[in-house]
Amino acid sequence: MSETVSRRSALRLTAGAVAVAAAATGGLAPLTSAAAADRPDAGAGPRVEGLLARLTLDEKISLLHGADDPGSLGQAGYVPGVPRLNIPPLRLADGPAGVRITAHATALPAPVLLASAFDPELARRYGQVIGREGRALGQDVLLSPMVNLIRTPYAGRNFETFSEDPLLASDLVAAEIRGIQGEGLIATVKHFALNNQEQDRNSIDVHAGEQTMHELELRGFEAAVEAGTGAVMGAYNKVNGTFACENKALLTDVLRDQWGFAGWVMTDWFAAHSTVAAITAGLDMEMPDGTYFGAALKSAVRNGSVAERYVDRAVRRILAVMDRFGLLDGSAPPRPARDAAAGAAVALAVAKAGATLLRNERGTLPLDGGGIAVIGPTGSLPFVSGGGSAHVVPDHADSPLDAIRARTRGPVTYALGEDLFGKALPAGALSPGFTSEGQQVGAGKTWAYDGTLTVAEEDDWTFVLHFSSAATARPKVLLDGEELFPLAAGYGEYFSGGLVAAAPDGLGVRRKELRLARGAHTLQISAEGGDSGLLFRLRRITGATRAQDVVDAVGAARAARHVVLFAYEDATEGLDRATVALPGHQEQLIRAVTAANPRTTVVLNTSSCTSMPWLTGTGAVLQMYYPGQEGATATAAVLFGDSDPGGRLTQSFPADDDHHPVAGDPRRYPGADGVEEYSEGIHAGYRWYDAQGVRPLFPFGHGLSYTSFAYSDPEARWTRGALEVTFTVRNTGRRAGISVPQVYVGPSPDLRLDQAVRVLGGYRRLALRAGERRRVTVRVAARTLSSWDARHHRWTLGTGRRTVWVGASAGDLKLRTGARVGGGHR
């Protein structure tokens, strides 16, 4: 784990880069003319070159953009082949946590939960499941994994990626790609590059220095290239003034010429902005259509603004990957059958391995029997995944309530606590009345209501609309002339959320919060049955209904020996979070319940870090993120101690919205005047907390076990181009458990470059029996000990005496030693 450096990396590290001026963007250096973007690629083999010679211009261009699939399987993209030459089509499916098509697939835990296991071998198995299922379900290309860093706690897709640390992210993305492609499915690493937020993602211009980019943002992509990824997906945003999908500094100078990438680059969906600039910069494929790489590209070739060799180059890259995977000569193995049981077993293993115990006071966990009150909406509803392109149609998904009841013989009660889906409108509040709990509109029919809603007392209302048809045909509801549920702009309807956007019976859900005065309000509703009819419900949540839900939850808590309170945060692609606090009124619920019963465990099904002003009142806090289809079983196994919580945080948890790396500076996040500046430089994540002396709520790497561990006898020595750190770990408790010791390395005294207080150098996941002692060696690679010299555009080894720490987290450093890097041990 994190202990080897490839020959290519070693050569890059020791060889001097060409001494040229910095790029005009200030971010990445250009290369010499010999490596210019317009040079022809090396031959891709006789089969590919033979096909390329026989393809017409129209056929070549048809391979460079997406099209409608005549036999769609519900996947994200399709590229038609060339039947005349037996070039097969390509189907491209989303898949950060499982294959996303209309058919059932294994819904794996979110990648952030996988990463919490600190186990590249588990990441490889995770990739194997997706790879096998992708091929079994008729797919050729997987639009995953995502390796963008967790830079801001607000990013809506933090659950789809791995970590704030580039070393951990690099290890995991490489392992997952090897798993995916080992099964014959082409992997696509994304989003290249600096796509670390959803807000303004289509237009934001991200400015970052060369050192920041190489040491942090690009490192995971480089690892993916070294692992052999077949494809790279360009990002939506601009990088140092140029859109990522037409950014020569990224697509050619770094990706091709520095790293030697031989696959193809596609856009994110609708991320293309040009024809000439994009294809000459190094973009090969536009998805999901041909706005710029269809007729416009053909015209550009015909009028001479694009030389046909650029088209040939892009086609060659695509065909070369297809040839590598046996898609051109029929040598690809037959598509396997799905193995749902094997997929479920891996999903369960990942969910248990990544379960992260953040707090455990007074022996709250493991649970010791019955008398349990389960509270919270996600206690009775399975929370499988986040929204957007990460959603998978699972084979099954049990609720935590059912799993807890199955695990114990004692009584288990349930209270809602926080209402997600609303309660029926009060009897007599509507004049005239209508069937607000299930209004049917027949196919081809229209239905209208024009009446009055009478409110007894001034209160905060949340109107909740449930509807059965497509979003474009949902009922139109006006209250006092204001439309409550207008269609969201752009792709807002598609990126509407995972859990809260659908009722338990499958109806779509939309919400509107507003303050209603006492008295009568006009209510108008119009609905169309469309082709297949429409069913809708109109419900409400008010201050009064919320108060009663809390009263019921407190009563259940007082009557129970243990409370397991499930809290949620529903994230989705296309939308950033507004706060690190739990949504809704969950904080008040937790405070009320823990005051009634301090033996309360809060289980967090959240996308990313969460603030916890209620923490000290709890007995335990278990972070489960989005745990996939086997999440309920895994959660119960950890709660009852059948499985040790083996996860560790891959991101720092801030105390609140005012104390984290991008807090208080709109130019850092979400950007100002269309520009976002990574002015924290290399001090992202835990590095920022160290540099600023700010204490997080929970540090990077934190996680508790049901047993205890001792660390001793550290040694460090420079050998064979790496720093070997050896120490002893002993299980000092009475039961088996998981330890994840982490090695951190301090700055070099010989470098006159910006350096972090300490960086993660390596780690090891250990399963130790009670009383077991193990001597462990972690090799810190030369790359990790190096800094990027932006003046000379190269990696420079940080020589001299380096301090080394061994600890249980970035905030719990138990041992300290040191060694001279580049010299002998002392």
Side-chain angles (χ1 to χ4, degrees):
M1 299 174 190
S2 329
E3 297 173 5
T4 60
V5 61
S6 71
R7 181 174 181 272
R8 184 188 301 151
S9 293
L11 289 172
R12 277 199 302 269
L13 213 97
T14 55
V18 179
V20 292
T25 61
L28 298 171
L31 297 179
T32 60
S33 58
D38 61 353
R39 80 182 193 285
D41 278 10
R47 183 178 297 108
V48 170
E49 295 302 328
L51 287 171
L52 190 58
R54 297 170 63 191
L55 286 166
T56 67
L57 178 61
D58 285 336
E59 289 170 337
K60 293 174 187 175
I61 289 174
S62 75
L63 295 171
L64 303 187
H65 64 82
D68 292 333
D69 186 350
S72 177
L73 302 173
Q75 77 280 358
Y78 175 79
V79 177
V82 181
R84 180 179 70 86
L85 298 177
N86 295 315
I87 298 174
L90 292 174
R91 288 186 168 91
L92 303 87
D94 286 315
V99 182
R100 184 181 183 270
I101 62 172
T102 54
H104 287 272
T106 300
L108 292 159
V112 70
L113 182 55
L114 165 69
S116 300
F118 278 69
D119 188 347
E121 173 56 23
L122 190 60
R124 186 188 64 81
R125 292 173 59 199
Y126 186 98
Q128 282 181 312
V129 170
I130 301 176
R132 179 187 176 100
E133 292 204 346
R135 295 209 67 240
L137 294 168
Q139 304 303 302
D140 306 292
V141 182
L142 183 76
L143 305 174
S144 187
M146 174 179 170
V147 75
N148 298 112
L149 293 185
I150 298 176
R151 175 181 176 265
T152 167
Y154 304 122
R157 301 182 79 173
N158 281 348
F159 68 95
E160 290 188 54
T161 192
F162 300 114
S163 177
E164 68 186 27
D165 180 77
L167 172 66
L168 180 60
S170 297
D171 289 347
L172 297 174
V173 75
E176 185 179 342
I177 286 171
R178 292 185 181 104
I180 293 165
Q181 297 193 155
E183 299 297 316
L185 190 69
I186 300 167
T188 307
V189 67
K190 63 184 186 184
H191 309 83
F192 191 62
L194 285 75
N195 184 183
N196 296 329
Q197 67 189 59
E198 295 302 280
Q199 184 166 336
D200 301 323
R201 68 177 184 175
N202 294 307
S203 60
I204 194 73
D205 183 5
V206 180
H207 288 195
E210 195 174 319
Q211 184 182 4
T212 299
M213 292 180 69
H214 280 277
E215 290 189 24
L216 297 183
E217 300 295 335
L218 300 182
R219 189 166 176 182
F221 292 98
E222 184 180 8
V225 170
E226 291 189 348
T229 187
V232 170
M233 181 186 290
Y236 286 113
N237 50 280
K238 295 177 182 178
V239 176
N240 292 319
T242 304
F243 279 109
C245 287
E246 55 189 49
N247 193 310
K248 176 182 173 293
L250 284 175
L251 302 186
T252 295
D253 297 349
V254 170
L255 187 62
R256 302 287 180 184
D257 295 329
Q258 289 186 24
W259 297 347
F261 177 59
W264 88 83
V265 177
M266 71 181 79
T267 67
D268 204 337
W269 268 225
F270 302 104
H273 293 272
S274 66
T275 300
V276 178
I279 198 165
T280 55
L283 183 70
D284 303 308
M285 180 184 288
E286 177 189 7
M287 293 301 295
D289 60 18
T291 302
Y292 296 98
F293 275 26
L297 179 57
K298 182 177 180 180
S299 295
V301 173
R302 292 298 189 210
N303 66 29
S305 56
V306 170
E308 192 168 349
R309 69 178 181 273
Y310 286 102
V311 174
D312 290 348
R313 181 180 71 176
V315 173
R316 180 182 290 113
R317 291 167 175 173
I318 295 165
L319 293 180
V321 176
M322 294 178 69
D323 193 36
R324 171 183 158 198
F325 282 79
L327 299 179
L328 297 182
D329 64 353
S331 63
R335 293 191 183 273
R338 273 197 69 216
D339 189 341
V346 172
L348 179 60
V350 171
K352 291 193 293 186
T356 306
L357 185 61
L358 301 179
R359 173 180 169 88
N360 192 19
E361 299 295 316
R362 303 179 295 276
T364 300
L365 293 180
L367 299 177
D368 58 8
I372 300 170
V374 175
I375 296 173
T378 48
S380 64
L381 293 172
F383 200 158
V384 176
S385 65
S389 58
H391 179 71
V392 177
V393 181
D395 288 310
H396 66 269
D398 297 330
S399 75
L401 177 61
D402 290 340
I404 290 170
R405 282 176 170 160
R407 178 56 183 75
T408 181
R409 296 180 180 178
V412 178
T413 59
Y414 175 72
L416 179 62
E418 174 87 351
D419 191 355
L420 292 180
F421 302 110
K423 296 174 174 57
L425 294 173
L430 295 170
S431 178
F434 75 94
T435 311
S436 63
E437 272 299 279
Q439 184 65 47
Q440 293 273 3
V441 184
K445 304 292 185 181
T446 59
W447 182 90
Y449 175 83
D450 191 346
T452 301
L453 171 68
T454 300
V455 176
E457 299 291 341
E458 182 177 0
D459 202 350
D460 292 317
W461 278 56
T462 300
F463 285 92
V464 187
L465 178 69
H466 302 214
F467 57 96
S468 62
S469 66
T472 54
R474 67 168 179 254
K476 185 175 183 179
V477 181
L478 286 82
L479 185 75
D480 296 331
E482 177 189 356
E483 187 173 354
L484 297 185
F485 312 104
L487 292 177
Y491 286 88
E493 287 296 324
Y494 176 72
F495 301 129
S496 58
L499 175 80
V500 302
D505 62 359
L507 296 189
V509 175
R510 296 293 184 272
R511 297 168 181 81
K512 174 66 175 182
E513 298 180 9
L514 66 167
R515 183 80 175 175
L516 285 191
R518 179 177 181 272
H521 300 264
T522 62
L523 179 65
Q524 297 167 297
I525 306 173
S526 58
E528 297 181 359
D531 295 334
S532 56
L534 170 68
L535 169 67
F536 75 89
R537 298 186 287 258
L538 185 62
R539 292 181 170 181
R540 101 295 189 193
I541 304 167
T542 68
T545 66
R546 282 193 295 270
Q548 187 58 53
D549 287 337
V550 172
V551 168
D552 294 343
V554 167
R558 283 182 176 146
R561 171 169 169 75
H562 300 280
V563 176
V564 183
L565 191 157
F566 287 82
Y568 77 93
E569 175 258 324
D570 191 30
T572 179
E573 179 182 355
L575 183 68
D576 278 351
R577 307 161 74 191
T579 175
V580 294
L582 290 171
H585 295 78
Q586 293 180 97
E587 289 190 354
Q588 296 93 314
L589 173 66
I590 294 171
R591 284 192 174 101
V593 168
T594 54
N597 189 333
R599 293 183 66 82
T600 294
T601 297
V602 176
V603 178
L604 293 169
N605 292 130
T606 57
S607 68
S608 187
C609 57
T610 304
S611 61
M612 304 179 198
W614 38 263
L615 180 66
T616 57
T618 64
V621 178
L622 178 64
Q623 176 64 252
M624 291 299 297
Y625 298 105
Y626 301 155
Q629 69 179 43
E630 306 300 323
T633 300
T635 301
V638 174
L639 289 173
F640 286 95
D642 304 333
S643 175
D644 197 51
R648 303 296 184 264
L649 293 182
T650 70
Q651 58 191 301
S652 308
F653 274 38
D656 52 42
D657 286 305
D658 297 325
H659 298 88
H660 56 74
V662 301
D665 187 347
R667 294 195 72 85
R668 283 191 184 179
Y669 175 85
D673 301 321
V675 174
E676 183 176 37
E677 297 175 351
Y678 283 24
S679 56
E680 72 276 14
I682 64 165
H683 305 285
Y686 65 87
R687 304 177 185 201
W688 179 87
Y689 288 94
D690 285 341
Q692 298 298 318
V694 175
R695 184 174 181 176
L697 178 66
F698 292 112
F700 174 89
H702 173 73
L704 304 176
S705 168
Y706 290 146
T707 186
S708 56
F709 300 94
Y711 299 72
S712 62
D713 305 322
E715 296 179 354
R717 66 190 184 106
W718 174 252
T719 179
R720 300 192 306 277
L723 187 62
E724 288 192 350
V725 182
T726 303
F727 52 94
T728 298
V729 182
R730 182 168 63 93
N731 183 339
T732 57
R734 298 181 177 180
R735 56 181 293 158
I738 301 296
S739 173
V740 184
Q742 299 148 44
V743 172
Y744 295 86
V745 182
S748 162
D750 297 341
L751 289 182
R752 298 298 179 260
L753 300 170
D754 195 16
Q755 298 180 74
V757 174
R758 63 184 63 87
V759 299
L760 180 69
Y763 52 88
R764 181 67 60 81
R765 182 181 177 89
L766 303 173
L768 299 178
R769 300 183 303 275
E772 183 179 359
R773 179 194 307 264
R774 191 173 304 174
R775 191 73 174 157
V776 176
T777 297
V778 172
R779 296 187 78 237
V780 182
R783 169 60 60 85
T784 301
L785 297 167
S786 301
S787 295
W788 181 265
D789 183 343
R791 181 179 177 184
H792 297 98
H793 317 297
R794 67 186 180 195
W795 289 100
T796 301
L797 182 65
T799 56
R801 181 77 177 177
R802 307 289 292 265
T803 302
V804 176
W805 295 267
V806 178
S809 75
D812 185 10
L813 304 173
K814 298 179 179 296
L815 305 175
R816 178 170 173 165
T817 185
R820 180 170 296 278
V821 169
H825 167 65
R826 73 175 193 185

PDB file of all heavy atoms in Angstrom, residues 607-625:
ATOM      1  N   SER A 607     -23.377  12.328   2.921  1.00  0.00           N
ATOM      2  CA  SER A 607     -22.482  12.232   1.767  1.00  0.00           C
ATOM      3  C   SER A 607     -21.046  12.558   2.114  1.00  0.00           C
ATOM      4  O   SER A 607     -20.119  12.126   1.438  1.00  0.00           O
ATOM      5  CB  SER A 607     -22.953  13.198   0.682  1.00  0.00           C
ATOM      6  OG  SER A 607     -22.783  14.541   1.096  1.00  0.00           O
ATOM      7  N   SER A 608     -20.870  13.345   3.164  1.00  0.00           N
ATOM      8  CA  SER A 608     -19.553  13.909   3.431  1.00  0.00           C
ATOM      9  C   SER A 608     -19.506  14.284   4.908  1.00  0.00           C
ATOM     10  O   SER A 608     -20.290  13.761   5.716  1.00  0.00           O
ATOM     11  CB  SER A 608     -19.350  15.133   2.524  1.00  0.00           C
ATOM     12  OG  SER A 608     -18.040  15.642   2.604  1.00  0.00           O
ATOM     13  N   CYS A 609     -18.599  15.173   5.260  1.00  0.00           N
ATOM     14  CA  CYS A 609     -18.453  15.561   6.659  1.00  0.00           C
ATOM     15  C   CYS A 609     -19.709  16.261   7.170  1.00  0.00           C
ATOM     16  O   CYS A 609     -20.469  16.848   6.406  1.00  0.00           O
ATOM     17  CB  CYS A 609     -17.231  16.451   6.824  1.00  0.00           C
ATOM     18  SG  CYS A 609     -17.273  17.921   5.797  1.00  0.00           S
ATOM     19  N   THR A 610     -19.899  16.209   8.478  1.00  0.00           N
ATOM     20  CA  THR A 610     -21.083  16.762   9.125  1.00  0.00           C
ATOM     21  C   THR A 610     -20.665  17.452  10.408  1.00  0.00           C
ATOM     22  O   THR A 610     -19.865  16.913  11.176  1.00  0.00           O
ATOM     23  CB  THR A 610     -22.079  15.634   9.465  1.00  0.00           C
ATOM     24  OG1 THR A 610     -22.393  14.917   8.268  1.00  0.00           O
ATOM     25  CG2 THR A 610     -23.347  16.187  10.072  1.00  0.00           C
ATOM     26  N   SER A 611     -21.192  18.633  10.656  1.00  0.00           N
ATOM     27  CA  SER A 611     -20.971  19.283  11.952  1.00  0.00           C
ATOM     28  C   SER A 611     -21.881  18.639  12.984  1.00  0.00           C
ATOM     29  O   SER A 611     -22.953  18.115  12.650  1.00  0.00           O
ATOM     30  CB  SER A 611     -21.230  20.780  11.860  1.00  0.00           C
ATOM     31  OG  SER A 611     -22.564  21.042  11.487  1.00  0.00           O
ATOM     32  N   MET A 612     -21.477  18.669  14.249  1.00  0.00           N
ATOM     33  CA  MET A 612     -22.218  17.951  15.291  1.00  0.00           C
ATOM     34  C   MET A 612     -22.291  18.769  16.576  1.00  0.00           C
ATOM     35  O   MET A 612     -21.678  18.420  17.589  1.00  0.00           O
ATOM     36  CB  MET A 612     -21.551  16.592  15.566  1.00  0.00           C
ATOM     37  CG  MET A 612     -21.404  15.718  14.342  1.00  0.00           C
ATOM     38  SD  MET A 612     -20.587  14.124  14.702  1.00  0.00           S
ATOM     39  CE  MET A 612     -20.098  13.643  13.044  1.00  0.00           C
ATOM     40  N   PRO A 613     -23.053  19.848  16.599  1.00  0.00           N
ATOM     41  CA  PRO A 613     -23.190  20.610  17.837  1.00  0.00           C
ATOM     42  C   PRO A 613     -23.888  19.826  18.939  1.00  0.00           C
ATOM     43  O   PRO A 613     -23.830  20.218  20.100  1.00  0.00           O
ATOM     44  CB  PRO A 613     -24.030  21.820  17.393  1.00  0.00           C
ATOM     45  CG  PRO A 613     -24.738  21.380  16.165  1.00  0.00           C
ATOM     46  CD  PRO A 613     -23.797  20.442  15.478  1.00  0.00           C
ATOM     47  N   TRP A 614     -24.458  18.713  18.580  1.00  0.00           N
ATOM     48  CA  TRP A 614     -25.171  17.817  19.497  1.00  0.00           C
ATOM     49  C   TRP A 614     -24.293  16.667  19.986  1.00  0.00           C
ATOM     50  O   TRP A 614     -24.754  15.789  20.713  1.00  0.00           O
ATOM     51  CB  TRP A 614     -26.385  17.223  18.776  1.00  0.00           C
ATOM     52  CG  TRP A 614     -26.117  16.898  17.331  1.00  0.00           C
ATOM     53  CD1 TRP A 614     -26.415  17.672  16.250  1.00  0.00           C
ATOM     54  CD2 TRP A 614     -25.456  15.731  16.804  1.00  0.00           C
ATOM     55  NE1 TRP A 614     -25.993  17.064  15.076  1.00  0.00           N
ATOM     56  CE2 TRP A 614     -25.409  15.873  15.387  1.00  0.00           C
ATOM     57  CE3 TRP A 614     -24.905  14.590  17.381  1.00  0.00           C
ATOM     58  CZ2 TRP A 614     -24.831  14.905  14.557  1.00  0.00           C
ATOM     59  CZ3 TRP A 614     -24.329  13.627  16.559  1.00  0.00           C
ATOM     60  CH2 TRP A 614     -24.300  13.796  15.158  1.00  0.00           C
ATOM     61  N   LEU A 615     -23.001  16.651  19.617  1.00  0.00           N
ATOM     62  CA  LEU A 615     -22.151  15.480  19.817  1.00  0.00           C
ATOM     63  C   LEU A 615     -22.050  15.042  21.265  1.00  0.00           C
ATOM     64  O   LEU A 615     -22.154  13.845  21.573  1.00  0.00           O
ATOM     65  CB  LEU A 615     -20.753  15.773  19.257  1.00  0.00           C
ATOM     66  CG  LEU A 615     -19.729  14.650  19.380  1.00  0.00           C
ATOM     67  CD1 LEU A 615     -20.133  13.458  18.535  1.00  0.00           C
ATOM     68  CD2 LEU A 615     -18.341  15.154  18.969  1.00  0.00           C
ATOM     69  N   THR A 616     -21.813  15.977  22.189  1.00  0.00           N
ATOM     70  CA  THR A 616     -21.520  15.583  23.571  1.00  0.00           C
ATOM     71  C   THR A 616     -22.700  14.907  24.257  1.00  0.00           C
ATOM     72  O   THR A 616     -22.514  14.237  25.276  1.00  0.00           O
ATOM     73  CB  THR A 616     -21.087  16.805  24.398  1.00  0.00           C
ATOM     74  OG1 THR A 616     -22.121  17.806  24.335  1.00  0.00           O
ATOM     75  CG2 THR A 616     -19.786  17.378  23.871  1.00  0.00           C
ATOM     76  N   GLY A 617     -23.883  15.058  23.720  1.00  0.00           N
ATOM     77  CA  GLY A 617     -25.034  14.399  24.328  1.00  0.00           C
ATOM     78  C   GLY A 617     -25.216  12.958  23.898  1.00  0.00           C
ATOM     79  O   GLY A 617     -26.018  12.230  24.483  1.00  0.00           O
ATOM     80  N   THR A 618     -24.459  12.530  22.900  1.00  0.00           N
ATOM     81  CA  THR A 618     -24.637  11.191  22.360  1.00  0.00           C
ATOM     82  C   THR A 618     -23.778  10.171  23.085  1.00  0.00           C
ATOM     83  O   THR A 618     -22.762  10.508  23.697  1.00  0.00           O
ATOM     84  CB  THR A 618     -24.264  11.148  20.865  1.00  0.00           C
ATOM     85  OG1 THR A 618     -22.864  11.435  20.736  1.00  0.00           O
ATOM     86  CG2 THR A 618     -25.069  12.154  20.073  1.00  0.00           C
ATOM     87  N   GLY A 619     -24.181   8.903  22.970  1.00  0.00           N
ATOM     88  CA  GLY A 619     -23.328   7.828  23.454  1.00  0.00           C
ATOM     89  C   GLY A 619     -22.328   7.395  22.401  1.00  0.00           C
ATOM     90  O   GLY A 619     -21.174   7.107  22.700  1.00  0.00           O
ATOM     91  N   ALA A 620     -22.776   7.358  21.145  1.00  0.00           N
ATOM     92  CA  ALA A 620     -21.911   6.909  20.052  1.00  0.00           C
ATOM     93  C   ALA A 620     -22.362   7.551  18.757  1.00  0.00           C
ATOM     94  O   ALA A 620     -23.530   7.927  18.603  1.00  0.00           O
ATOM     95  CB  ALA A 620     -21.933   5.385  19.934  1.00  0.00           C
ATOM     96  N   VAL A 621     -21.417   7.666  17.809  1.00  0.00           N
ATOM     97  CA  VAL A 621     -21.717   8.149  16.461  1.00  0.00           C
ATOM     98  C   VAL A 621     -21.036   7.213  15.476  1.00  0.00           C
ATOM     99  O   VAL A 621     -19.818   6.991  15.554  1.00  0.00           O
ATOM    100  CB  VAL A 621     -21.244   9.591  16.236  1.00  0.00           C
ATOM    101  CG1 VAL A 621     -21.538  10.028  14.805  1.00  0.00           C
ATOM    102  CG2 VAL A 621     -21.911  10.545  17.225  1.00  0.00           C
ATOM    103  N   LEU A 622     -21.815   6.669  14.556  1.00  0.00           N
ATOM    104  CA  LEU A 622     -21.317   5.737  13.547  1.00  0.00           C
ATOM    105  C   LEU A 622     -21.556   6.334  12.173  1.00  0.00           C
ATOM    106  O   LEU A 622     -22.700   6.587  11.783  1.00  0.00           O
ATOM    107  CB  LEU A 622     -22.025   4.387  13.670  1.00  0.00           C
ATOM    108  CG  LEU A 622     -21.650   3.315  12.640  1.00  0.00           C
ATOM    109  CD1 LEU A 622     -20.185   2.908  12.777  1.00  0.00           C
ATOM    110  CD2 LEU A 622     -22.563   2.088  12.797  1.00  0.00           C
ATOM    111  N   GLN A 623     -20.477   6.564  11.421  1.00  0.00           N
ATOM    112  CA  GLN A 623     -20.567   7.129  10.075  1.00  0.00           C
ATOM    113  C   GLN A 623     -20.667   5.990   9.057  1.00  0.00           C
ATOM    114  O   GLN A 623     -19.752   5.188   8.925  1.00  0.00           O
ATOM    115  CB  GLN A 623     -19.331   7.981   9.779  1.00  0.00           C
ATOM    116  CG  GLN A 623     -19.249   8.564   8.385  1.00  0.00           C
ATOM    117  CD  GLN A 623     -20.365   9.539   8.085  1.00  0.00           C
ATOM    118  OE1 GLN A 623     -21.272   9.229   7.317  1.00  0.00           O
ATOM    119  NE2 GLN A 623     -20.297  10.712   8.685  1.00  0.00           N
ATOM    120  N   MET A 624     -21.803   5.942   8.349  1.00  0.00           N
ATOM    121  CA  MET A 624     -22.021   4.895   7.345  1.00  0.00           C
ATOM    122  C   MET A 624     -22.163   5.443   5.930  1.00  0.00           C
ATOM    123  O   MET A 624     -22.318   4.665   4.989  1.00  0.00           O
ATOM    124  CB  MET A 624     -23.268   4.080   7.695  1.00  0.00           C
ATOM    125  CG  MET A 624     -23.136   3.216   8.927  1.00  0.00           C
ATOM    126  SD  MET A 624     -21.829   1.946   8.828  1.00  0.00           S
ATOM    127  CE  MET A 624     -22.387   0.919   7.474  1.00  0.00           C
ATOM    128  N   TYR A 625     -22.117   6.767   5.743  1.00  0.00           N
ATOM    129  CA  TYR A 625     -22.262   7.360   4.411  1.00  0.00           C
ATOM    130  C   TYR A 625     -23.470   6.740   3.691  1.00  0.00           C
ATOM    131  O   TYR A 625     -24.517   6.539   4.279  1.00  0.00           O
ATOM    132  CB  TYR A 625     -20.976   7.211   3.612  1.00  0.00           C
ATOM    133  CG  TYR A 625     -19.785   7.911   4.215  1.00  0.00           C
ATOM    134  CD1 TYR A 625     -18.765   7.195   4.861  1.00  0.00           C
ATOM    135  CD2 TYR A 625     -19.663   9.291   4.157  1.00  0.00           C
ATOM    136  CE1 TYR A 625     -17.666   7.846   5.414  1.00  0.00           C
ATOM    137  CE2 TYR A 625     -18.562   9.946   4.712  1.00  0.00           C
ATOM    138  CZ  TYR A 625     -17.579   9.215   5.342  1.00  0.00           C
ATOM    139  OH  TYR A 625     -16.499   9.861   5.887  1.00  0.00           O
TER     140      TYR A 625
END
